[in-house]
């Protein structure tokens, strides 16, 4: 069964469910998915680099603290509701390519941002990378553009989105959407580990993230074959793993300072927990769209290894809705963009628009 959708809490795809946790399914064959994806990629010539066939990297340059930040904006400029899209570790604005186009076509003004250190944004080595650094940057962008916003992100981008919403408050934020939210910028928090594991984790970080071995680690990690192998592990929808996706993730790794930024981020602080931020955001309608086949941030904690399971997030927020997509992994926005569009727009209509009015 492809593209299964389930809302934990008594509503399925925005409709009342007779039985709590009942599932509803969107079906799309693999062949149809590949055809639609191909058509989407070539239907917007403005975002394809001339004579290369590759996706354009650079869009609008926005200046923040003297650094260049890459921003891609689509949709009507007079829309009443803006959407902020924040990518995950190692990705860029083009990871949102299809969903951003779909939401813009629906009448929303949609802004995808390359976080400082990633994509086509500057990669300075004189800053300490953290969730808080990125949320400061994103908050300044939202304040500068003004209006009401849905703040969204994938993986560590979700955590940055939560912290951004917390900093901006009700004056700017009308809703939050998380796509497979990470528990922290780094894989583990020392406070959550036993003492022997803390020591082992400390030693691993010192060995692999130092400038000498770290460069070797980075060069091996960033190879196209390794990127494809990792994608096939974390994408539940294998048809979504394309040469273009691999190229999109690989290309920024050739930029100056890319290896240094990579190591600094991996060796950085984990940042706030999603649970602590959700408790502070109880006033804000919140949605999570989660791939059930994600091995990195599984929605449940059956294996005992996930310290921040998404299935527990509703316990920290009274207005939190969780939808799950079957046969979908860590990046549901890229693996199942059409299903995500339907869920996203239906949630806006039911939970956000009654408070903000129509979004276009």
């Amino acid at each position: 069964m492809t593209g299964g959708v389930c809302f934990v809490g008594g509503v399925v795809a925005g409709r009342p469910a007779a039985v709590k946790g009942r599932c509803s399914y969107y079906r799309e064959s693999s062949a149809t998915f590949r055809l639609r994806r191909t058509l989407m990629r070539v239907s917007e010539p403005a975002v394809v680099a001339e004579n290369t066939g590759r996706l354009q990297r650079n869009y609008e340059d926005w200046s923040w603290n003297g650094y260049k930040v890459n921003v891609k904006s689509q949709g009507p400029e007079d829309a009443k509701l803006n959407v902020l899209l924040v990518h995950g570790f190692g990705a860029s604005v083009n990871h949102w390519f299809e969903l951003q186009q779909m939401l813009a076509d629906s009448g929303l003004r949609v802004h995808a941002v390359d976080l400082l250190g990633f994509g086509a944004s500057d990669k300075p080595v004189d800053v300490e990378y953290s969730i808080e650094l990125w949320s400061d940057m994103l908050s300044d962008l939202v304040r500068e553009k003004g209006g009401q916003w849905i703040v969204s992100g994938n993986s560590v981008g979700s955590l940055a989105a939560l912290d951004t919403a917390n900093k901006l408050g009700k004056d700017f934020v009308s809703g939050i959407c998380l796509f497979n939210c990470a528990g922290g910028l780094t894989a583990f928090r020392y406070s959550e580990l036993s003492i022997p594991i803390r020591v082992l984790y400390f030693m691993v970080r010192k060995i692999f993230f130092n400038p000498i071995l770290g460069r070797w680690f980075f060069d091996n990690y960033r190879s196209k074959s390794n990127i494809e192998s990792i994608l096939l592990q974390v994408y539940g929808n294998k048809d979504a793993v394309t040469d273009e996706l691999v190229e999109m993730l690989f290309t920024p790794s050739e930029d100056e300072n890319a290896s240094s930024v990579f190591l600094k981020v991996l060796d950085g602080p984990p940042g706030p927990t999603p649970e602590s931020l959700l408790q502070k955001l109880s006033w804000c309608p919140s949605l999570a769209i989660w791939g059930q086949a994600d091995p990195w941030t599984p929605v449940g904690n059956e294996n005992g290894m996930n310290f921040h399971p998404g299935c527990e997030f509703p316990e920290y927020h009274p207005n939190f809705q969780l939808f799950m997509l079957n046969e979908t992994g860590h990046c549901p926005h890229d693996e199942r963009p059409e299903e995500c569009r339907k869920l996203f727009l239906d949630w806006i209509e039911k939970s956000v628009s009654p408070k903000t009015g129509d979004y276009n």
Side-chain angles (χ1 to χ4, degrees), residues 275-292:
E275 294 89 346
S276 66
L277 291 170
L278 284 169
Q279 287 178 314
K280 298 176 182 178
L281 292 163
S282 59
W283 53 268
C284 186
S286 299
L287 168 71
I289 300 175
W290 217 289
Q292 285 183 307

Side-chain angles (χ1 to χ4, degrees), residues 2-3 28-30 33-34 36-37 231-232 234-242 245 293 326-332 334-337 339:
T2 302
E28 180 177 59
S29 70
S30 296
F33 177 89
R34 288 193 295 269
R36 176 174 58 77
R37 194 178 193 93
L231 288 171
L232 289 171
V234 302
Y235 267 51
N237 181 6
K238 309 305 180 185
D239 291 322
V241 179
T242 63
L245 175 61
N326 285 342
E327 298 185 14
T328 305
H330 190 61
C331 306
D334 188 52
E335 299 179 54
R336 311 280 180 198
E339 287 89 333

Side-chain angles (χ1 to χ4, degrees), residues 250-273:
F250 171 78
T251 300
S253 71
E254 297 186 298
D255 292 347
E256 184 179 3
N257 296 334
S259 62
S260 298
V261 171
F262 173 86
L263 296 173
K264 292 192 74 168
V265 171
L266 286 181
D267 199 32
T273 66

Side-chain angles (χ1 to χ4, degrees), residues 8 22 36 51 59 84 93 106 112 132 247 285 302 310 356:
V8 180
R22 178 177 293 177
R36 176 174 58 77
N51 298 326
Y59 295 90
L84 178 67
V93 295
S106 300
E132 292 84 356
E247 187 72 22
E302 294 83 0
T356 62

